[in-house]
């Protein structure tokens, strides 16, 4: 189990890049803030945790997958 970080100046700049790099059982720590037009399809067991405060995911247009900013096909835990 590994901890990956996402956010400005972190290991991964986007949430989706961190999710893609993660393996089942990993934790993705996301810096607090607003993440615009970032979409992730999660196909493994992960924990997503906001660090410092809440993480807000927004979309300024049509969502490319037609469903949502996070689509899950496995078990996930979301904190903050």
């Amino acid at each position: 189990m590994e901890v990956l970080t996402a956010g400005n100046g972190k290991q991964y700049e986007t949430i989706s890049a961190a999710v893609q790099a993660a393996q089942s059982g990993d934790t993705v720590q996301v810096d607090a803030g607003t993440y615009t037009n970032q979409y992730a399809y999660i196909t493994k067991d992960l924990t997503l945790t906001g660090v410092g405060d809440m993480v807000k995911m927004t979309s300024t247009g049509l969502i490319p997958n037609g469903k949502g900013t996070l689509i899950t096909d496995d078990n996930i835990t979301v904190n903050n």
Side-chain angles (χ1 to χ4, degrees):
M1 295 184 352
E2 188 176 338
V3 175
L4 293 84
T5 59
N8 189 23
K10 298 296 181 181
Q11 185 180 13
Y12 296 93
E13 289 289 320
T14 66
I15 296 169
S16 60
V19 165
Q20 287 177 350
Q23 301 297 315
S24 284
D26 287 351
T27 296
V28 176
Q29 293 182 338
V30 182
D31 274 357
T34 300
Y35 292 81
T36 304
N37 299 328
Q38 291 193 32
Y39 314 100
Y41 181 52
I42 303 170
T43 59
K44 48 204 136 195
D45 294 345
L46 294 179
T47 298
L48 303 175
T49 301
V51 176
D53 205 353
M54 296 293 279
V55 171
K56 182 178 179 183
M57 297 181 73
T58 64
S59 180
T60 59
L62 296 175
I63 296 173
N65 61 33
K67 296 179 182 179
T69 53
L70 293 177
I71 302 297
T72 64
D73 201 17
D74 225 316
N75 295 314
I76 66 166
T77 300
V78 178
N79 302 309
N80 284 346

